[in-house]
Amino acid sequence: MIRINLLPHREEKRKERRRQFYVSAGLMLALGGAVWLLMHMINAGDIERQAMRNKTFKDDIAALDREIEAIKDLRGQIDRLLARKQVIETLQSNRAETVHLFNELATRIPSGVFLSSVSQSGNKIALKGYAQSNARISNMMSSLNESPFLAKSEVVKSVAELLNNRRVYRFEINVYIEKPSTPASEAATHAATTQKG
């Protein structure tokens, strides 16, 4: 005998499919939420690690900035010390200059010429005095130009005057100090330019 099921089997299958759909949709939502939570935790960890790296970099940069400032201060101190050293070396090299100058003047000034004042400004020496004639002034200038220590003598003024009822020539002459080059000074100059270069 044939049995006929009159129960609404299509309705049951539809309900079963609907229930499976909701269960699978719920599982998919739960899985999506879990994946989102996992990604959020990973991103939060990455952000935290990057923030720690950034803080480390900032601390290192701040330390380097402090070191750079210290280096700048040291360079300033070095420059000031080098300037002082240069002044001291210049003073030491010019220490005997006055002795050389007076020695040269004593040997190079001919008779009949009298100095009333000698002044120095840098490497320029201003000589003022009296001479018996312009020829003696000319002889003195030639003699000064022959000196290895003095050069480029030039007359600023030469005026005839009466002094103690005698005709004399009051003169003003500029002469320049020229340091003689020695092998030791040339070697020192070469070494200084090599170090700067």
Side-chain angles (χ1 to χ4, degrees):
M1 181 159 161
I2 299 173
R3 291 187 178 178
I4 298 172
N5 187 1
L6 297 176
L7 292 173
H9 65 87
R10 287 187 181 129
E11 189 65 36
E12 289 291 325
K13 283 182 183 177
R14 208 177 285 136
K15 283 182 183 176
E16 182 64 25
R17 281 196 303 257
R18 196 176 291 143
R19 189 181 64 76
Q20 286 176 356
F21 172 75
Y22 287 142
V23 167
S24 61
L27 286 174
M28 290 302 287
L29 281 173
L31 182 63
V35 168
W36 179 83
L37 183 61
L38 180 64
M39 294 301 293
H40 177 69
M41 289 173 64
I42 289 171
N43 285 339
D46 287 344
I47 290 170
E48 186 177 346
R49 281 191 295 276
Q50 190 61 44
M52 289 173 64
R53 281 191 209 118
N54 289 348
K55 183 179 182 304
T56 304
F57 288 149
K58 285 180 182 175
D59 292 344
D60 290 345
I61 288 169
L64 288 174
D65 286 342
R66 286 192 296 273
E67 288 179 11
I68 288 170
E69 288 299 321
I71 288 170
K72 284 181 183 175
D73 290 343
L74 286 175
R75 282 189 181 156
Q77 289 176 1
I78 288 170
D79 290 342
R80 287 191 296 274
L81 288 174
L82 287 174
R84 286 181 188 170
K85 179 184 170 212
Q86 185 66 36
V87 168
I88 290 169
E89 287 175 352
T90 304
L91 288 174
Q92 285 182 344
S93 67
N94 294 341
R95 169 171 67 177
E97 195 172 270
T98 306
V99 175
H100 286 301
L101 174 65
F102 283 114
N103 191 26
E104 287 294 315
L105 290 177
T107 57
R108 300 284 173 179
I109 293 179
S111 61
V113 176
F114 306 96
L115 293 179
S116 61
S117 114
V118 176
S119 61
Q120 180 178 1
S121 173
N123 67 339
K124 181 175 90 169
I125 306 295
L127 302 175
K128 295 180 182 177
Y130 298 94
Q132 292 176 348
S133 68
N134 276 331
R136 293 187 188 260
I137 296 172
S138 178
N139 287 342
M140 179 181 70
M141 290 176 61
S142 298
S143 180
L144 290 174
N145 286 336
E146 291 171 2
S147 167
F149 188 69
L150 301 170
K152 300 179 193 169
S153 62
E154 57 190 13
V155 175
V156 176
K157 182 182 356 178
S158 177
V159 179
E161 291 184 354
L162 283 176
L163 183 67
N164 296 332
N165 293 327
R166 291 179 135 180
R167 184 180 173 102
V168 293
Y169 292 87
R170 184 169 50 92
F171 65 87
E172 292 181 20
I173 293 176
N174 290 337
V175 65
Y176 295 88
I177 295 175
E178 185 176 83
K179 295 183 181 172
S181 61
T182 61
S185 67
E186 287 175 2
T189 306
H190 177 68
T193 56
T194 307
Q195 286 178 351
K196 287 180 183 175

